[in-house]
Amino acid sequence: MKTVSALIALALGAGLAGSAMAADTIVQFSRGIGVDPVAGIDSGTGMPVINTVRNVPPGGRPWVIRKLRASFYADGSVMVRGAGLLFSGGDNIGTTGPITQVKATLFCGQPGQAVGYDSALGDLDARGDFTIKGQMLQAPANPCVKPVLLIRNAAGAWFAAGIVGDED
């Protein structure tokens, strides 16, 4: 009977620990979209409108991303996994072209007032897969209001964005 009681107490404790860990999560992203560098056409000028997000310019060509999952935690740690981040146009279509590393930038706040928090760089393999794990360069705001996740290159252009959620 003591063994059963001990197992129940252990299971309940693990459940509480899991709940505490979930409470430490600032924001999660469960899917992603690739960038289209042109957001539209200006009706007054007929000129393309650059797809700038939170003052970050897009990469020069369209990109796709097959999978993206990211979690940001109150202690400043981050876990981001992406798959299939590839050019979807131009001569480098279906490849990562010259891009070999990416970072995650989490923006918190209203547009025009948002603060961006960067991760370290993670390697991007030839299939467009990457993992970024560790500490953010600065802990994100908690709570993160109006969160936006951009996957960027070392120079800062964005290639993919996260979609908030904790499920596929």
Side-chain angles (χ1 to χ4, degrees):
M1 186 67 172
K2 285 184 180 179
T3 303
V4 172
S5 296
L7 288 174
I8 291 171
L10 183 62
L12 288 173
L16 291 175
S19 296
M21 288 180 67
D24 291 335
T25 302
I26 295 174
V27 64
Q28 292 182 307
F29 298 84
S30 61
R31 295 181 310 252
I33 54 173
V35 67
D36 181 343
V38 177
I41 303 297
D42 183 293
S43 61
T45 65
M47 299 296 297
V49 176
I50 303 300
N51 195 359
T52 300
V53 174
R54 300 295 199 263
N55 294 319
V56 177
R61 298 280 182 177
W63 287 73
V64 296
I65 190 163
R66 186 169 43 85
K67 290 183 183 177
L68 180 64
R69 293 194 63 83
S71 296
F72 294 85
Y73 301 95
D75 68 357
S77 61
V78 60
M79 178 58 163
V80 182
R81 287 201 170 121
L85 180 61
L86 303 168
F87 278 102
S88 65
D91 289 339
N92 286 321
I93 194 166
T95 74
T96 61
I99 307 302
T100 60
Q101 291 186 311
V102 294
K103 65 182 175 181
T105 302
L106 175 65
F107 290 90
C108 298
Q110 299 291 337
Q113 301 171 347
V115 176
Y117 304 94
D118 288 331
S119 73
L121 291 168
D123 292 332
L124 181 65
D125 72 19
R127 294 181 312 252
D129 298 347
F130 62 93
T131 299
I132 300 167
K133 184 177 181 181
Q135 291 297 120
M136 297 292 286
L137 301 181
Q138 178 184 358
N142 187 7
C144 181
V145 178
K146 300 260 185 208
V148 171
L149 171 61
L150 297 180
I151 303 302
R152 305 167 65 189
N153 67 0
W158 75 276
F159 302 133
I163 299 171
V164 174
D166 59 1
E167 300 175 4
D168 280 333

mmCIF file of all heavy atoms in Angstrom, residues 54 107-111 113-115 144-147:
data_model
loop_
_atom_site.group_PDB
_atom_site.id
_atom_site.type_symbol
_atom_site.label_atom_id
_atom_site.label_comp_id
_atom_site.label_asym_id
_atom_site.label_seq_id
_atom_site.Cartn_x
_atom_site.Cartn_y
_atom_site.Cartn_z
ATOM 1 N N ARG A 54 7.628 45.086 -37.689
ATOM 2 C CA ARG A 54 8.293 45.614 -36.486
ATOM 3 C C ARG A 54 9.631 46.280 -36.855
ATOM 4 O O ARG A 54 10.643 46.091 -36.193
ATOM 5 C CB ARG A 54 8.512 44.531 -35.435
ATOM 6 C CG ARG A 54 7.236 43.862 -34.924
ATOM 7 C CD ARG A 54 6.352 44.866 -34.176
ATOM 8 N NE ARG A 54 5.395 44.262 -33.319
ATOM 9 C CZ ARG A 54 4.121 44.032 -33.659
ATOM 10 N NH1 ARG A 54 3.684 44.361 -34.841
ATOM 11 N NH2 ARG A 54 3.285 43.493 -32.805
ATOM 12 N N PHE A 107 9.239 39.769 -30.512
ATOM 13 C CA PHE A 107 8.827 41.146 -30.257
ATOM 14 C C PHE A 107 7.640 41.122 -29.308
ATOM 15 O O PHE A 107 6.704 40.347 -29.495
ATOM 16 C CB PHE A 107 8.424 41.847 -31.558
ATOM 17 C CG PHE A 107 9.580 42.132 -32.465
ATOM 18 C CD1 PHE A 107 9.961 41.205 -33.420
ATOM 19 C CD2 PHE A 107 10.297 43.318 -32.357
ATOM 20 C CE1 PHE A 107 11.034 41.466 -34.265
ATOM 21 C CE2 PHE A 107 11.364 43.577 -33.193
ATOM 22 C CZ PHE A 107 11.736 42.650 -34.152
ATOM 23 N N CYS A 108 7.688 41.984 -28.305
ATOM 24 C CA CYS A 108 6.585 42.144 -27.358
ATOM 25 C C CYS A 108 6.196 43.612 -27.344
ATOM 26 O O CYS A 108 7.059 44.480 -27.240
ATOM 27 C CB CYS A 108 7.009 41.717 -25.959
ATOM 28 S SG CYS A 108 7.497 39.988 -25.816
ATOM 29 N N GLY A 109 4.909 43.881 -27.476
ATOM 30 C CA GLY A 109 4.420 45.249 -27.409
ATOM 31 C C GLY A 109 3.639 45.638 -28.638
ATOM 32 O O GLY A 109 3.585 44.914 -29.632
ATOM 33 N N GLN A 110 3.029 46.795 -28.561
ATOM 34 C CA GLN A 110 2.234 47.324 -29.655
ATOM 35 C C GLN A 110 3.145 47.679 -30.832
ATOM 36 O O GLN A 110 4.289 48.083 -30.632
ATOM 37 C CB GLN A 110 1.488 48.593 -29.198
ATOM 38 C CG GLN A 110 0.530 48.372 -28.057
ATOM 39 C CD GLN A 110 -0.673 47.545 -28.462
ATOM 40 O OE1 GLN A 110 -1.050 47.467 -29.611
ATOM 41 N NE2 GLN A 110 -1.289 46.897 -27.489
ATOM 42 N N PRO A 111 2.640 47.562 -32.061
ATOM 43 C CA PRO A 111 3.433 48.002 -33.220
ATOM 44 C C PRO A 111 3.902 49.444 -33.006
ATOM 45 O O PRO A 111 3.164 50.279 -32.500
ATOM 46 C CB PRO A 111 2.451 47.899 -34.384
ATOM 47 C CG PRO A 111 1.464 46.864 -33.944
ATOM 48 C CD PRO A 111 1.338 47.042 -32.460
ATOM 49 N N GLN A 113 5.989 50.357 -30.868
ATOM 50 C CA GLN A 113 6.543 50.448 -29.520
ATOM 51 C C GLN A 113 7.141 49.114 -29.082
ATOM 52 O O GLN A 113 7.583 48.979 -27.943
ATOM 53 C CB GLN A 113 5.452 50.843 -28.530
ATOM 54 C CG GLN A 113 4.799 52.158 -28.835
ATOM 55 C CD GLN A 113 3.576 52.401 -27.952
ATOM 56 O OE1 GLN A 113 3.078 51.512 -27.288
ATOM 57 N NE2 GLN A 113 3.105 53.636 -27.958
ATOM 58 N N ALA A 114 7.139 48.135 -29.966
ATOM 59 C CA ALA A 114 7.578 46.785 -29.609
ATOM 60 C C ALA A 114 9.079 46.746 -29.337
ATOM 61 O O ALA A 114 9.865 47.450 -29.971
ATOM 62 C CB ALA A 114 7.229 45.804 -30.716
ATOM 63 N N VAL A 115 9.436 45.907 -28.374
ATOM 64 C CA VAL A 115 10.833 45.653 -28.050
ATOM 65 C C VAL A 115 11.165 44.260 -28.571
ATOM 66 O O VAL A 115 10.397 43.312 -28.364
ATOM 67 C CB VAL A 115 11.067 45.727 -26.527
ATOM 68 C CG1 VAL A 115 12.498 45.361 -26.175
ATOM 69 C CG2 VAL A 115 10.720 47.117 -26.015
ATOM 70 N N CYS A 144 4.284 38.898 -22.434
ATOM 71 C CA CYS A 144 4.642 39.420 -23.753
ATOM 72 C C CYS A 144 3.336 39.810 -24.452
ATOM 73 O O CYS A 144 2.572 38.948 -24.856
ATOM 74 C CB CYS A 144 5.399 38.372 -24.562
ATOM 75 S SG CYS A 144 5.910 38.942 -26.197
ATOM 76 N N VAL A 145 3.093 41.098 -24.566
ATOM 77 C CA VAL A 145 1.870 41.612 -25.173
ATOM 78 C C VAL A 145 2.061 41.710 -26.684
ATOM 79 O O VAL A 145 3.093 42.177 -27.143
ATOM 80 C CB VAL A 145 1.531 43.002 -24.580
ATOM 81 C CG1 VAL A 145 0.295 43.585 -25.225
ATOM 82 C CG2 VAL A 145 1.371 42.908 -23.075
ATOM 83 N N LYS A 146 1.067 41.264 -27.443
ATOM 84 C CA LYS A 146 1.110 41.297 -28.916
ATOM 85 C C LYS A 146 2.380 40.627 -29.442
ATOM 86 O O LYS A 146 3.154 41.224 -30.183
ATOM 87 C CB LYS A 146 1.023 42.725 -29.428
ATOM 88 C CG LYS A 146 -0.214 43.456 -29.031
ATOM 89 C CD LYS A 146 -1.180 43.464 -30.156
ATOM 90 C CE LYS A 146 -2.376 44.313 -29.792
ATOM 91 N NZ LYS A 146 -3.556 43.925 -30.432
ATOM 92 N N PRO A 147 2.651 39.359 -29.075
ATOM 93 C CA PRO A 147 3.895 38.712 -29.483
ATOM 94 C C PRO A 147 3.988 38.490 -30.989
ATOM 95 O O PRO A 147 3.013 38.134 -31.641
ATOM 96 C CB PRO A 147 3.858 37.372 -28.741
ATOM 97 C CG PRO A 147 2.406 37.117 -28.498
ATOM 98 C CD PRO A 147 1.771 38.460 -28.330
#
